[in-house]
Amino acid sequence: MTESANDRFVTLLGFDFGSTTSSAVAARSRIITHRVSGDVSLERPKIIFRSTPVFTPFRGEDLDISSLDRIIRGWMEQGDLKGKDIFSGGAIVTGLAATRRNAGKLGSLVREHAGESLIATADDPSLESWLAFMGSCYSLSKVHPRRPVLNFDVGGGTTNTALGREGDILSTGCAFIGARHFCFSPGTYRLKEMSSFGKKLLDRLGISIVPGDLLKKEDLDRLVDWMVRYLEDLATGRRSLQKEPDFDFLEQVPLCLPDLNFPEKTAPLMITFSGGVGELVYTAALGEPMPGVTAFGDLGVDLALRILSSPVLSKDLLDNMPENRGHATVYGLALYHTEISGTTLFLPNPAWLPLKELPIVARLKIDHGPDRISRALGLARQCSTSAAVQVMAEPGHSGKGHGPDQFRQFGMHMKTMMTKAQWPEDRPLVLLVNSNCGKTLGNYATQWGQIPLPIIVLDEIPDRDAKFVTIGREQGVLVPVSFFGMHHETSPAAAGICDRQDKQTVKKRRPS
């Protein structure tokens, strides 16, 4: 691709607030514009700041927001980062931190320091699984395109799983299996506290212990062995423990392992690890010095060593080591949460942006008739804020694809129904279209600007199985678009394969 004088650098930022630790990563990338076609691409980002992980601060049953404020300020100063300069990125609250009552306040705190283009998600487990895969083993998956890769992101509160092949996510899952459900005095097995999930698990296993007691060696072995067996069941697809009524409280999102009999011959499943416990697994496998007993006040070291001893989970471990062994989620946020797509969009009033956390109320096809469109608009009209509708179209050159007549008809239906509904001027309706027809569709709906309908059309946006979308403020010729709120049921369109590509797409806008 030929570079243009208009090429510029942008800063991408990721925050991860987890059960045990929190961290930040910033990267810089160049947006390249082709001299002739105007196509835009984003170079592979390069890390410019990587924070030292810090313990996530808690105050009683809540997150310590004032301490988190100081931590974020420190990260921004250390990385010489300014909110106005952040193009895109993300912040995610994971594991036990996401279960705290005031987790939602962290979103406002992030936006205060890092700008409106970021999305803070408190408890979106499938998104976390997707990010961990992308930050950990995306490149490994691309290097071995015939091998399905199952990544275990094992942290303090949860184990997030993602199955991918050739860089594409096929399925995600999440379970409350982690090292920090049991907190000890560092260097000992004297229990200080345990989570509600940890207490229920001990009850189910018949292990009796209260804060202040020492965890017996036989009970420790039984507990950690059980957690590793749980992970083995996920890796093999047996799901025997997950199906037991006594333990179903641990499964937040079921991992769907689809039939991996692809048309071409597929190599054996590759298993990788990330997260705090995952980093310890590779440390031990490489023979590097390990922290001492309960060094972090939890079972991270014990769980990592037991995973390493599992023939199911540790097969070919060192032969397939991911590029980011530790805090993969934050790498996924900073490095893989942004893409360039599309060629045109319809945005008559840039002041409408940003639009945050819009519900995606319907999914339409471009050839749907007035009844289906009317129902979708009815759902959008009931929302107290703006809303979004996904619109699917086949390219016209595909033989069976959609042509100008369908786009014109769809736009005319939108005009008629929005006018009839007296659509509020301060509540833009966003159409997310997978075809290159943004300006065309928007102009048909507004009669080429003669009817001032509050409608935005973002085109060439891939079909995402998500519940919400956030659209950032226009930055030069770019508009960042974030999908989140993952659905986790199997997609029929994927022929039994769960599509989890929950990521941020950046929409290019050419100057008028």
Side-chain angles (χ1 to χ4, degrees):
M1 179 171 288
T2 306
E3 299 174 16
S4 163
N6 294 325
D7 295 346
R8 65 188 179 99
F9 287 89
V10 294
T11 301
L12 313 173
L13 181 62
F15 293 128
D16 181 13
F17 304 95
S19 307
T20 307
T21 60
S22 297
S23 56
V25 167
R28 185 169 295 259
S29 181
R30 183 173 57 169
I31 298 173
I32 302 176
T33 306
H34 196 284
R35 290 178 185 269
V36 178
S37 68
D39 291 341
V40 174
S41 64
L42 190 66
E43 279 190 332
R44 181 179 174 85
K46 296 180 180 179
I47 299 294
I48 59 172
F49 170 71
R50 181 187 293 107
S51 75
T52 301
V54 299
F55 283 107
T56 303
F58 294 93
R59 179 175 293 174
E61 294 299 314
D62 293 332
L63 290 166
D64 188 340
I65 297 298
S66 60
S67 294
L68 286 166
D69 184 26
R70 290 192 296 273
I71 289 170
I72 295 174
R73 287 179 187 274
W75 287 338
M76 299 295 286
E77 291 174 2
Q78 294 165 29
D80 193 23
L81 305 169
K82 297 177 176 59
K84 64 182 179 62
D85 297 331
I86 305 301
F87 171 70
S88 189
I92 191 165
V93 189
T94 64
L96 297 179
T99 67
R100 305 298 178 165
R101 295 174 299 182
N102 63 341
K105 293 183 179 180
L106 198 46
S108 300
L109 188 61
V110 167
R111 288 190 175 100
E112 177 185 336
H113 290 294
E116 295 171 332
S117 60
L118 282 95
I119 169 176
T121 304
D123 193 14
D124 193 347
S126 292
L127 172 60
E128 183 183 353
S129 299
W130 184 91
L131 291 169
F133 183 97
M134 298 299 288
S136 172
C137 52
Y138 171 79
S139 296
L140 190 64
S141 177
K142 296 289 283 187
V143 170
H144 301 278
R146 292 175 53 246
R147 294 192 68 176
V149 180
L150 178 61
N151 187 64
F152 286 89
D153 189 69
V154 189
T158 57
T159 292
N160 288 81
T161 47
L163 177 72
R165 185 169 182 265
E166 201 172 355
D168 293 327
I169 307 299
L170 308 178
S171 179
T172 63
C174 180
F176 289 103
I177 297 291
R180 207 163 183 80
H181 289 290
F182 309 95
C183 294
F184 304 90
S185 298
T188 75
Y189 289 106
R190 188 169 299 280
L191 185 67
K192 293 175 62 178
E193 60 179 339
M194 53 185 156
S195 71
S196 59
F197 297 99
K199 185 176 187 310
K200 289 179 72 173
L201 178 57
L202 291 183
D203 290 343
R204 300 295 193 272
L205 294 177
I207 299 174
S208 179
I209 186 174
V210 296
D213 290 349
L214 280 171
L215 183 63
K216 299 176 183 178
K217 177 66 166 61
E218 57 268 27
D219 290 336
L220 169 66
D221 291 340
R222 186 178 175 194
L223 173 61
V224 178
D225 285 343
W226 187 94
M227 289 194 284
V228 171
R229 185 182 149 209
Y230 191 100
L231 302 183
E232 289 175 339
D233 277 10
L234 290 175
T236 59
R238 288 194 302 262
R239 291 180 46 81
S240 56
L241 290 179
Q242 291 78 16
K243 294 176 182 178
E244 290 188 20
D246 283 348
F247 301 113
D248 60 1
F249 68 94
L250 290 171
E251 189 169 60
Q252 188 177 13
V253 177
L255 175 66
C256 164
L257 285 185
D259 183 1
L260 296 177
N261 292 324
F262 295 97
E264 65 275 22
K265 184 178 179 180
T266 301
L269 179 71
M270 181 190 304
I271 294 177
T272 59
F273 290 90
S274 60
V277 175
E279 185 171 15
L280 290 171
V281 170
Y282 289 110
T283 298
L286 289 167
E288 298 174 353
M290 288 285 284
V293 170
T294 62
F296 306 105
D298 56 31
L299 293 175
V301 174
D302 297 272
L303 186 53
L305 292 175
R306 209 63 56 97
I307 288 173
L308 188 59
S309 68
S310 165
V312 173
L313 300 175
S314 63
K315 185 179 180 181
D316 302 325
L317 195 68
L318 292 180
D319 294 334
N320 305 300
M321 190 178 302
E323 55 184 331
N324 295 314
R325 292 186 277 154
H327 298 269
T329 304
V330 74
Y331 284 95
L333 281 166
L335 302 182
Y336 295 99
H337 204 48
T338 301
E339 290 187 352
I340 301 293
S341 67
T343 56
T344 61
L345 78 159
F346 184 77
L347 179 61
N349 185 1
W352 286 336
L353 303 181
L355 293 169
K356 302 174 184 177
E357 301 179 6
L358 305 187
I360 300 175
V361 298
R363 185 177 184 275
L364 298 174
K365 292 183 179 179
I366 199 70
D367 55 4
H368 275 157
D371 290 343
R372 292 290 294 273
I373 296 174
S374 179
R375 286 199 295 271
L377 292 180
L379 292 171
R381 190 70 171 82
Q382 292 174 20
C383 296
S384 58
T385 60
S386 298
V389 174
Q390 288 183 303
V391 183
M392 300 297 110
E394 292 285 345
H397 57 73
S398 66
K400 63 177 181 179
H402 301 108
D405 289 344
Q406 282 86 6
F407 292 112
R408 180 171 59 251
Q409 195 169 54
F410 189 94
M412 295 295 289
H413 288 322
M414 294 294 298
K415 178 207 71 169
T416 300
M417 294 173 192
M418 290 183 71
T419 302
K420 184 177 180 180
Q422 297 182 333
W423 206 273
E425 295 181 2
D426 61 347
R427 195 180 301 176
L429 175 71
V430 178
L431 300 183
L432 306 169
V433 190
N434 69 332
S435 180
N436 183 13
C437 63
K439 288 189 181 297
T440 301
L441 194 56
N443 280 319
Y444 278 134
T446 62
Q447 289 293 278
W448 306 95
Q450 297 181 35
I451 302 175
L453 292 176
I455 186 170
I456 298 171
V457 186
L458 305 180
D459 66 346
E460 293 200 46
I461 301 296
D463 183 15
R464 300 296 182 219
D465 194 14
K467 300 175 185 176
F468 300 95
V469 64
T470 287
I471 303 167
R473 193 182 302 279
E474 187 179 25
Q475 302 180 49
V477 295
L478 300 173
V479 175
V481 179
S482 304
F483 290 93
F484 59 104
M486 291 289 301
H487 295 286
H488 58 264
E489 62 270 19
T490 302
S491 170
I497 294 176
C498 306
D499 185 0
R500 298 291 174 268
Q501 297 191 21
D502 204 40
K503 57 185 175 179
Q504 178 165 308
T505 303
V506 173
K507 181 71 190 75
K508 177 180 68 176
R509 186 184 187 204
R510 285 182 177 166
S512 301

